Amino acid sequence: MSRILVIDDERSIRNTLKDILEYEKYEVDLAEDGNKGLEMIRAGEYDIVLCDIKMPGLDGIEVLERMVVLAPDTPVVMISGHGNIDTAVDSIKKGAYDYIEKPLDLNRLLITIRNAMDKSTLVTETKILKKKVSKKYEIVGESEAISEILDMADKVAPTDARVLITGANGSGKELVARRIHEQSNRASGPFVEVNCAAIPSELIESELFGHEKGAFTSAVKQRLGKFEQANGGTLFLDEIGDMSLSAQAKVLRALQENVISRVGGDKHIKVDVRVVAATNKNLSVEIENHNFREDLYHRLSVILIKVPALNERLEDIPLLANHFIQQICNEYGMPVKTITENAIAELQKINWTGNIREFRNVIERLIILCNNEITEADVLKFAAPLK
């Protein structure tokens, strides 16, 4: 049952609202002034607060301002018999969900409450989904190698310094990039990923910078590129070692000037983007072979982070195994399976050329093919790497 708090200094208004809302199957608490209302908000959670504006002592606007800190996700509907347009606008600016004048229109009140409930539900669902997404991209491990990576990522995250992440395929470079974004001041902005190796060289510029209508044969309408989509957030350029030299030149200009131009356009567009790049290639060799611009390398590599291969942190395998077992069993909606110590020891003997990606696939295979307990024999039978 949804909980509503009514804060009003008029007893008759409080009691009338309580009767109406309880008839509509809401659980209702009452407070006769602002201080009492704030006490009740501190003591318990409410789905909606209805708050009068004109009250002795702490008025409704002051209650609203304090609620923004105490319970930022709880919708507040302001009610007043002495209001005007300026009061309503002021309330909304300070965070109120809506404003209703007295005498209260019952139908409007109930519709407002219903809409506020929908908003409250969406906020809760969004938080749950964000936690699930965050859990999906969690970096698991307690080895010295991983601890150093996490420490470096957390130190650089609050800055706008560019980061170049290196490491083998499947080692978790994207996870490090996401952690930097989530711990940064840009966490509320977008995280936009571009796989430079997956986009043909003739399309990479359009993908990154967008294009104007008619810029080329298939450009039937204007398209925003990844730099514009990531404005105010983080742009993750994965496998940047595979980017064409012409695209590298444009990326270098964008990093130098924080300005881009769409393909087929001459308008200069300001962008506010933090760039994090990753590659599995040795860029020093690529520079010597004239496949990668040295000036772009120096622009990107303010901070260098090398992600260790799984073979370099075998002590993390017990944690990783249990993490993926829990995650995959939850995804499949099955009871969580267990794994024996001997099975773990056998997993630590494998040469993990595919790193974390290969390891997760093997755990998923074991979950599908094994009984409730994954044993050493199961690992020997089903976990053989590609030969």
Side-chain angles (χ1 to χ4, degrees):
M1 188 182 291
S2 300
R3 295 184 72 201
I4 298 176
L5 174 63
V6 177
I7 308 173
D8 199 304
D9 60 321
E10 294 183 55
R11 184 194 297 269
S12 59
I13 295 287
R14 293 199 305 271
N15 292 337
T16 300
L17 285 173
K18 183 177 176 70
D19 291 342
I20 292 168
L21 296 175
E22 285 184 341
Y23 180 79
E24 294 291 329
K25 308 300 182 188
Y26 294 114
E27 184 182 332
V28 184
D29 288 339
L30 304 177
E32 65 274 11
D33 58 48
N35 286 315
K36 178 65 174 173
L38 289 173
E39 277 179 34
M40 295 174 75
I41 289 162
R42 289 190 191 97
E45 291 185 4
Y46 291 96
D47 296 288
I48 294 180
V49 173
L50 303 179
C51 185
D52 189 19
I53 291 182
K54 296 293 183 183
M55 295 185 291
L58 204 66
D59 70 17
I61 296 296
E62 291 174 296
V63 172
L64 174 63
E65 289 171 342
R66 296 192 191 185
M67 268 206 66
V68 169
V69 177
L70 280 175
D73 296 327
T74 303
V76 182
V77 177
M78 307 303 292
I79 53 179
S80 177
H82 311 280
N84 51 39
I85 295 296
D86 290 339
T87 311
V89 170
D90 189 43
S91 299
I92 302 298
K93 278 185 177 178
K94 289 182 175 173
Y97 175 77
D98 204 349
Y99 174 92
I100 301 177
E101 286 186 86
K102 294 177 183 177
L104 298 175
D105 181 321
L106 179 58
N107 287 329
R108 187 188 167 192
L109 176 67
L110 293 176
I111 289 169
T112 300
I113 288 173
R114 204 169 295 123
N115 290 341
M117 288 289 183
D118 289 342
K119 180 196 172 187
S120 187
T121 302
L122 282 172
V123 168
T124 303
E125 288 175 353
T126 301
K127 282 186 172 181
I128 292 168
L129 286 172
K130 281 185 175 178
K131 282 182 182 176
K132 284 184 179 178
V133 170
S134 183
K135 197 77 175 171
K136 181 181 178 183
Y137 294 110
E138 182 183 1
I139 299 174
V140 177
E142 294 178 351
S143 62
E144 185 178 345
I146 279 297
S147 297
E148 286 179 5
I149 294 295
L150 296 180
D151 184 54
M152 189 180 292
D154 291 347
K155 280 180 179 175
V156 72
T159 73
D160 263 347
R162 298 186 193 105
V163 182
L164 178 62
I165 306 167
T166 62
N169 280 334
S171 57
K173 298 187 292 295
E174 182 191 349
L175 303 189
V176 176
R178 284 185 179 273
R179 184 181 181 97
I180 290 169
H181 172 71
E182 287 169 6
Q183 301 291 327
S184 76
N185 300 326
R186 297 172 176 265
S188 58
F191 178 89
V192 178
E193 180 181 357
V194 182
N195 188 332
C196 302
I199 303 168
S201 57
E202 63 272 16
L203 296 179
I204 186 71
E205 290 181 37
S206 172
E207 187 73 17
L208 289 174
F209 307 109
H211 60 249
E212 299 292 353
K213 182 180 178 180
F216 43 86
T217 306
S218 59
V220 294
K221 61 180 181 179
Q222 185 190 77
R223 182 178 185 277
L224 298 186
K226 300 298 187 185
F227 267 89
E228 285 182 84
Q229 292 174 34
N231 199 41
T234 303
L235 178 64
F236 176 47
L237 299 176
D238 197 11
E239 304 304 350
I240 196 166
D242 294 281
M243 184 181 286
S244 67
L245 286 169
S246 61
Q248 288 177 35
K250 285 199 170 186
V251 169
L252 179 63
R253 177 175 176 257
L255 297 182
Q256 286 173 332
E257 302 173 15
N258 294 320
V259 168
I260 64 158
S261 296
R262 299 190 192 111
V263 175
D266 53 12
K267 180 182 175 184
H268 290 175
I269 302 164
K270 289 282 289 181
V271 288
D272 173 25
V273 172
R274 181 188 194 166
V275 172
V276 176
T279 183
N280 63 349
K281 292 188 172 182
N282 185 330
L283 291 187
S284 297
V285 173
E286 296 300 309
I287 290 167
E288 286 178 14
N289 294 334
H290 306 292
N291 294 325
F292 200 84
R293 295 180 61 116
E294 185 173 4
D295 47 3
L296 177 58
Y297 171 79
H298 291 305
R299 281 281 174 185
L300 293 170
S301 60
V302 176
I303 302 292
L304 278 168
I305 297 179
K306 184 181 185 304
V307 181
L310 182 55
N311 288 332
E312 298 175 66
R313 56 184 190 107
L314 293 174
E315 62 267 47
D316 285 332
I317 280 183
L319 281 173
L320 287 164
N322 284 299
H323 171 76
F324 286 132
I325 288 170
Q326 178 100 32
Q327 187 184 84
I328 294 164
C329 287
N330 287 341
E331 287 174 4
Y332 285 162
M334 62 170 65
V336 177
K337 297 190 176 185
T338 57
I339 185 166
T340 66
E341 288 186 13
N342 288 339
I344 292 287
E346 204 57 46
L347 287 170
Q348 289 175 313
K349 294 177 185 176
I350 294 174
N351 179 25
W352 297 103
T353 54
N355 293 294
I356 303 295
R357 191 175 295 135
E358 179 190 8
F359 182 81
R360 190 191 190 282
N361 289 345
V362 166
I363 294 296
E364 187 169 2
R365 187 187 311 151
L366 290 168
I367 287 170
I368 293 168
L369 299 177
C370 301
N371 295 321
N372 292 334
E373 184 178 69
I374 300 168
T375 66
E376 178 185 7
D378 293 326
V379 174
L380 290 168
K381 185 177 181 180
F382 299 120
L386 184 66
K387 293 180 180 178

